[in-house]
Amino acid sequence: MTSDRFDYEAIGVIRTPFESPEGMPIQPVGNDATEGIVEVEEAYEDGLKDLNGFTHCILLYHFHESPNRSSLHVVPFLDEKKRGVFATRAPQRPNRIGISIVEIDTIAGQKVVVDGIDVVDGTPLLDIKPFVPEFDVPESADTGWLDASISTVRSKRADGRFR
């Protein structure tokens, strides 16, 4: 293992109606109507300039409700079999970094109102990036073991397995 360490500070916080992970959608596509508010710190407000020209953005955040322990094998929400953690989107990982692609509704000052949020209220925000289909959606992509259960992603909800 490498001894490199990196320190990140939150640039804001994500506000959602979800008080805990249990029962919330496991991906944004499972909850495209739920509104969230991304609040950036005042020092980063100018960084939101020109984001309003995009329909979607990528949120990078810290899984603050996930335990500080991780395993290299997990049983993901869409399966009953243990999988390598890097072949899943499980919140328990060596670095508790999450990613969500959400639809931008409005931007006003330090607040970005988004639709399709799938994180716990109070989640620390690490970064925002514009979603660009030409960059972010490969023409041809395989989904590995998920092929068998991809149709259930819209209805699947989180349970307590990663607490």
Side-chain angles (χ1 to χ4, degrees):
M1 291 180 130
T2 180
S3 62
D4 292 340
R5 296 198 54 84
F6 305 94
D7 291 321
Y8 293 100
E9 290 184 19
I11 64 165
V13 66
I14 303 171
R15 298 291 177 199
T16 76
F18 306 114
E19 295 179 14
S20 75
E22 285 80 19
M24 70 180 202
I26 61 167
Q27 292 296 317
V29 298
N31 203 31
D32 54 3
T34 299
E35 184 178 278
I37 299 174
V38 178
E39 299 175 351
V40 298
E41 297 289 335
E42 184 177 1
Y44 300 104
E45 181 180 347
D46 285 345
L48 295 174
K49 181 180 182 294
D50 303 315
L51 185 61
N52 61 358
F54 293 85
T55 61
H56 292 75
C57 65
I58 302 167
L59 303 177
L60 296 167
Y61 48 86
H62 176 73
F63 282 121
H64 71 296
E65 290 287 327
S66 184
N68 205 11
R69 66 188 189 296
S70 68
S71 171
L72 295 180
H73 296 95
V74 298
V75 178
F77 291 125
L78 292 174
D79 204 6
E80 301 298 322
K81 181 179 175 185
K82 276 193 174 186
R83 304 288 181 174
V85 71
F86 301 129
T88 75
R89 297 281 184 98
Q92 256 183 9
R93 352 188 29 85
N95 289 306
R96 297 179 296 160
I97 298 171
I99 181 172
S100 294
I101 298 172
V102 294
E103 185 174 359
I104 298 170
D105 187 9
T106 58
I107 300 174
Q110 297 167 233
K111 295 182 180 182
V112 181
V113 179
V114 298
D115 293 320
I117 199 70
D118 67 333
V119 300
V120 175
D121 186 52
T123 295
L125 177 69
L126 300 177
D127 202 356
I128 302 172
K129 298 179 183 290
F131 177 81
V132 182
E134 288 77 12
F135 300 168
D136 301 319
V137 181
E139 282 187 35
S140 174
D142 292 326
T143 58
W145 65 267
L146 274 168
D147 283 346
S149 56
I150 202 76
S151 64
T152 62
V153 71
R154 291 184 185 276
S155 60
K156 193 74 171 177
R157 296 292 181 254
D159 54 33
R161 74 180 75 187
F162 295 110
R163 292 202 58 95

